[in-house]
Amino acid sequence: MANKKESYDIEKRPVQGDYAVRKPGSERASAVQPTQGKAIDRARELNPDAGLRVERVRNTKVGSPDRWRKA
């Protein structure tokens, strides 16, 4: 049974240009997908009850990406 308190971070991998699904603090990704949307879908497949934090890839008015949003 899946742990409801589990969470995943969806992060862009800058060198590869794809997206990693990983548990906070982990070294290895649970999954890697070509798009942010597919990474979100994969995280939901891994655990539908898990909380998701998605790294933003757009720039803010100050010129750098704001860090996280909830999916």
Side-chain angles (χ1 to χ4, degrees):
M1 181 189 248
N3 180 356
K4 288 189 176 190
K5 294 183 181 184
E6 187 173 75
S7 66
Y8 290 104
D9 291 341
I10 311 298
E11 302 173 319
K12 185 168 185 171
R13 300 189 323 161
V15 174
Q16 297 86 351
D18 52 13
Y19 293 83
V21 177
R22 70 177 71 238
K23 292 180 182 179
S26 68
E27 290 185 24
R28 297 184 63 192
S30 299
V32 176
Q33 297 293 324
T35 67
Q36 190 178 61
K38 287 183 180 183
I40 291 169
D41 292 342
R42 180 64 183 135
R44 288 187 176 136
E45 288 173 7
L46 292 170
N47 184 348
D49 296 325
L52 300 180
R53 292 187 329 147
V54 180
E55 180 180 32
R56 294 204 186 212
V57 294
R58 66 184 174 95
N59 289 331
T60 63
K61 291 179 184 178
V62 294
S64 62
D66 50 350
R67 188 66 176 145
W68 299 103
R69 67 177 169 87
K70 290 183 181 179

